[in-house]
Amino acid sequence: MATQQGRNVQVWGVRGNFDDCQTGAKNVFNDDAFAQKLLDEQGVALSPARTPINWGRLLPQVVYYVSAYAQLVADGKLSAGDELDVCVPTGNFGNILAAYYAKRMGVPLGMLLCASNENRVLTDFINTGTYDISNRDFVLTPSPSMDILVSSNLERQLFELTDRNAEAIAGWMADLREQGRFRIDESTFARVRETFASDSIDNAACLATIKAVLDEHDYLLDPHTAVAYQVAENLRGQNPVLIASTAHWAKFGDNVYRALHDIEPGAPLPDDVAALTGCALNELIARETGKHDIPRGLAELDELPIRFTDVIDAGTGDIETAALRFLDNLSKR
């Protein structure tokens, strides 16, 4: 992200974790006065890319499940109409929500298996009906895109499972903001359990899965897909299971290397390996495993200059000030 070359883009680092960043961004989009200011003074309207705010990212993910089912039928792995379970690694509940909509649209999907890492708030919710972050630590894991405690798309899922009862959803979200927890009613919980099952694995199991799958199947998983793979093994029933692979291993070379060399999660890499750039580390892994399918966008990063180094706080005002500064600078170019 820091090497993006477009003249009309700006990247900021944000102090805090994913939840801090996401909350700040959502607050900006809820600031009507700021939106009007941008429109009046800059002729700009805000448009988000994140799924908790914009359906434009969620909708293409529905296609994944339609396409995957059709491909399995075409390949003779399924007969049309056979049920297929799906396991998705998730923290923000977007991709698995897309699977739910594919199921509602008629794709013969069975159970939707929610795979969590050590930040297992979704697993606990699906298994108990209580969403509780009031006394829960935020854990850094090898699968950082799942390191989330406030799962925004779950609100959309509950909206559907309550037959779009906006009043109930608003009450639960208020409880979450004010008390750090909410509990759904028994009827809604029963509907959750009809469609969803969930399990979580710890950091050590995640890395062990990467090595085991490479040894057994000659396939190199990224840490997120490794979480889904092991959870699918833990939860699978009679139906075949589709595992949603959500990232390429080369985006997480340090933890993939740990997995392949039996290094504990979070432990330092050997000095000679730690001295490598991310691209050089990926090349080392590719040589060791024979997996040379590194996307060009990742393989060329060493050759690109770092353009963006600014770090801002996650407060609404901080983000809005940074955005205005960017627009002012853009207008002067």
Side-chain angles (χ1 to χ4, degrees):
M1 292 178 68
T3 63
Q4 290 295 309
Q5 299 178 66
R7 295 186 68 251
N8 62 339
V9 299
Q10 174 68 44
V11 176
W12 298 283
V14 177
R15 297 182 183 91
N17 57 38
F18 180 95
D19 290 329
D20 298 323
C21 187
Q22 178 170 252
T23 298
K26 290 173 72 173
N27 287 341
V28 170
F29 281 99
N30 286 327
D31 187 342
D32 293 337
F34 181 64
Q36 193 63 50
K37 177 182 176 69
L38 288 181
L39 196 59
D40 293 343
E41 298 180 6
Q42 303 280 353
V44 169
L46 292 176
S47 176
R50 288 293 306 168
T51 52
I53 309 171
N54 190 348
W55 268 82
R57 184 178 175 201
L58 183 65
L59 286 175
Q61 291 178 317
V62 176
V63 180
Y64 299 166
Y65 299 99
V66 180
S67 175
Y69 189 91
Q71 188 64 53
L72 288 169
V73 171
D75 291 345
K77 303 293 180 64
L78 291 174
S79 295
D82 288 351
E83 255 194 13
L84 175 69
D85 293 345
V86 172
C87 186
V88 187
T90 187
N92 222 15
F93 218 78
N95 202 326
I96 197 169
L97 176 60
Y100 170 83
Y101 282 119
K103 179 180 172 79
R104 286 285 301 272
M105 290 167 61
V107 180
L109 301 182
M111 293 298 293
L112 306 182
L113 311 179
C114 173
S116 296
N117 61 20
E118 289 191 21
N119 292 291
R120 49 172 292 138
V121 62
L122 285 169
T123 294
D124 291 340
F125 169 74
I126 289 171
N127 290 331
T128 68
T130 297
Y131 195 99
D132 192 346
I133 59 171
S134 59
N135 193 31
R136 187 184 295 266
D137 292 331
F138 185 97
V139 183
L140 297 176
T141 76
S143 48
S145 295
M146 300 160 65
D147 292 349
I148 299 169
L149 295 183
V150 181
S151 183
S152 293
N153 283 292
L154 182 64
E155 181 178 353
R156 282 185 173 138
Q157 181 66 78
L158 292 174
F159 183 61
E160 300 295 347
L161 295 178
T162 58
D163 296 321
R164 303 192 169 191
N165 185 337
E167 184 178 354
I169 302 303
W172 292 334
M173 294 304 105
D175 288 345
L176 182 62
R177 287 191 303 271
E178 296 164 9
Q179 304 168 27
R181 68 189 304 274
F182 67 87
R183 180 168 180 80
I184 59 177
D185 61 87
E186 289 300 319
S187 176
T188 304
F189 182 47
R191 297 187 71 177
V192 169
R193 298 294 295 172
E194 286 175 1
T195 301
F196 295 94
S198 186
D199 196 9
S200 66
I201 67 170
D202 63 22
N203 292 344
C206 170
L207 298 189
T209 300
I210 293 174
K211 184 174 184 181
V213 170
L214 181 66
D215 290 344
E216 185 174 352
H217 300 289
D218 193 31
Y219 189 94
L220 189 54
L221 299 171
D222 85 285
H224 304 76
T225 311
V227 171
Y229 185 96
Q230 188 55 55
V231 167
E233 289 291 299
N234 295 349
L235 295 178
R236 67 183 309 158
Q238 296 300 311
N239 291 338
V241 181
L242 172 72
I243 296 170
S245 180
T246 54
H248 193 282
W249 66 262
K251 294 177 71 175
F252 310 96
D254 54 349
N255 280 308
V256 171
Y257 186 90
R258 287 186 178 93
L260 300 179
H261 293 268
D262 296 316
I263 299 173
E264 293 183 1
L269 297 174
D271 291 344
D272 57 333
V273 176
L276 298 174
T277 65
C279 293
L281 176 56
N282 284 340
E283 286 296 331
L284 173 61
I285 294 170
R287 291 195 300 271
E288 291 181 346
T289 62
K291 306 303 177 187
H292 295 279
D293 59 331
I294 300 172
R296 187 179 69 176
L298 293 175
E300 68 183 10
L301 285 178
D302 280 355
E303 304 168 11
L304 300 176
I306 299 292
R307 291 187 60 210
F308 304 106
T309 58
D310 290 350
V311 180
I312 64 174
D313 290 324
T316 305
D318 301 291
I319 298 173
E320 291 178 349
T321 298
L324 288 172
R325 187 183 308 119
F326 163 64
L327 289 171
D328 287 339
N329 292 336
L330 189 63
S331 66
K332 297 173 184 176
R333 293 177 185 172

